[in-house]
């Protein structure tokens, strides 16, 4: 299910100089803001939770997920180079699964690691805040990568739709409409983070069991359907 050659090519495409610089912008900004907040306000658990929840998990993780998930396959479909990949004796699910693993790894590296560093800067992991949001970022990275990889196979405007979901649905509607939070990857990840802290600093509108089921279901279904879309693309090209 995992092909090293496909993985290497995907890493090369995702971590090229231009895209790598884009991926670094938000993590660097988070760390700089965290250092400034710690310098001016000192260690404060609530401030740390607010910053990690409001900026890291709500903004940085989904945007990086959009870049990594759509970038893992979208550009190849747009420029037609995916035809050469599909011509290889590789199963379509293997291609999708390999690209998903790469997208997850890149999303985790550029979101979960900076989240942990920022948390340690802000309050030294007081009340397990840094670890809780890091775990939430890791969990969210998996679901976001699968969702946005699927978008990359469905539409040429995957980045636009991904940003609309991340910034409009989750950030805007999620903060205004309570029902929308149930269908939010962010809230599912927060439910897992809440389990780590066991306190009130990290909270979610979704229960842990429901969140776990939805995270697994979305990841599996998105990955499966992306494989089906890739099969359809192959058939269309052959016809």
């Amino acid at each position: 299910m995992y092909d090293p050659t496909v993985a290497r090519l995907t890493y090369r495409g995702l971590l090229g100089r231009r895209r790598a610089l884009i991926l670094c912008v938000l993590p660097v900004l988070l760390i700089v803001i965290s250092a400034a907040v710690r310098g001016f306000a000192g260690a404060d658990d609530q401030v740390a939770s607010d910053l990690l929840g409001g900026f890291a998990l709500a903004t940085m993780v989904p945007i990086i997920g959009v870049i990594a998930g759509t970038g893992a396959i979208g550009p190849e479909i747009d420029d037609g180079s995916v035809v050469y990949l599909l011509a290889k004796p590789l199963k379509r699910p293997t291609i999708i699964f390999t690209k998903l693993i790469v997208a997850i790894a890149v999303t985790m590296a550029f979101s979960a690691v900076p989240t942990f560093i920022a948390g340690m800067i802000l309050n030294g992991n007081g009340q397990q805040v840094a670890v809780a949001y890091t775990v939430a970022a890791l969990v969210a990275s998996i679901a976001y990568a699968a969702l946005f990889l699927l978008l990359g196979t469905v539409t040429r405007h995957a980045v636009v739709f991904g940003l609309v979901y991340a910034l409009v649905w989750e950030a805007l509607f999620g903060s205004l409409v309570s029902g929308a939070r149930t269908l939010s990857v962010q809230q599912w990840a927060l439910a897992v983070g809440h389990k780590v802290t066991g306190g009130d600093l990290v909270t979610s509108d979704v229960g842990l069991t429901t969140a776990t089921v939805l995270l697994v279901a979305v990841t599996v279904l998105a990955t499966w359907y992306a494989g089906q879309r890739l099969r359809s693309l192959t058939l269309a090209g052959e016809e």
Side-chain angles (χ1 to χ4, degrees):
M1 291 296 292
Y2 181 84
D3 187 84
T5 301
V6 174
R8 185 175 66 254
L9 293 173
T10 306
Y11 274 119
R12 185 181 300 173
L14 281 178
L15 299 178
R17 181 177 300 177
R18 182 179 176 182
R19 187 168 274 117
L21 288 174
I22 296 174
L23 285 168
C24 286
V25 170
L26 289 177
V28 170
L29 182 61
L30 172 64
I31 293 173
V32 170
I33 292 175
S34 299
V37 170
R38 177 61 186 267
F40 287 111
D44 187 296
D45 295 342
Q46 186 62 58
V47 171
S49 180
D50 291 342
L51 180 57
L52 295 180
F55 183 86
L57 194 62
T59 303
M60 183 182 73
V61 179
I63 289 178
I64 290 176
V66 169
I67 297 171
T70 61
I73 196 169
E76 293 176 325
I77 294 177
D78 290 343
D79 62 20
S81 61
V82 71
V83 174
Y84 300 101
L85 180 60
L86 297 177
K88 303 297 182 183
L90 291 171
K91 294 180 179 179
R92 304 305 175 250
T94 297
I95 296 174
I96 288 297
F97 183 76
T98 301
K99 288 183 173 293
L100 175 63
I101 294 300
V102 173
I104 289 173
V106 171
T107 306
M108 286 181 172
F110 284 90
S111 60
V113 174
T115 297
F116 179 75
I117 294 173
M120 295 301 293
I121 292 173
L122 286 165
N123 74 335
N125 196 37
Q127 298 194 51
Q128 297 292 305
V129 168
V131 171
Y133 278 104
T134 300
V135 171
L138 290 170
V139 171
S141 295
I142 299 173
Y144 281 133
L147 277 174
F148 298 135
L149 179 66
L150 170 61
L151 276 180
T153 66
V154 171
T155 174
R156 292 179 180 272
H157 306 291
V159 173
V160 175
F161 285 111
L163 290 175
V164 167
Y165 171 80
L167 301 180
V168 178
W169 177 264
E170 293 212 343
L172 181 59
F173 283 95
S175 62
L176 299 176
V177 184
S178 59
R181 297 169 193 159
T182 305
L183 300 177
S184 167
V185 173
Q186 178 188 342
Q187 291 297 321
W188 305 342
L190 283 171
V192 179
H194 173 70
K195 180 65 176 179
V196 175
T197 60
D200 296 329
L201 285 175
V202 182
T203 60
S204 173
D205 292 332
V206 183
L208 179 62
T209 301
T210 301
T212 303
V213 171
L214 290 172
L215 282 166
V216 173
V218 165
T219 302
V220 171
L221 289 174
T223 304
W224 171 80
Y225 191 61
Q228 299 304 306
R229 291 291 300 181
L230 205 58
R231 281 198 179 98
S232 300
L233 180 64
T234 306
L235 292 174
E238 292 173 351
E239 292 174 357

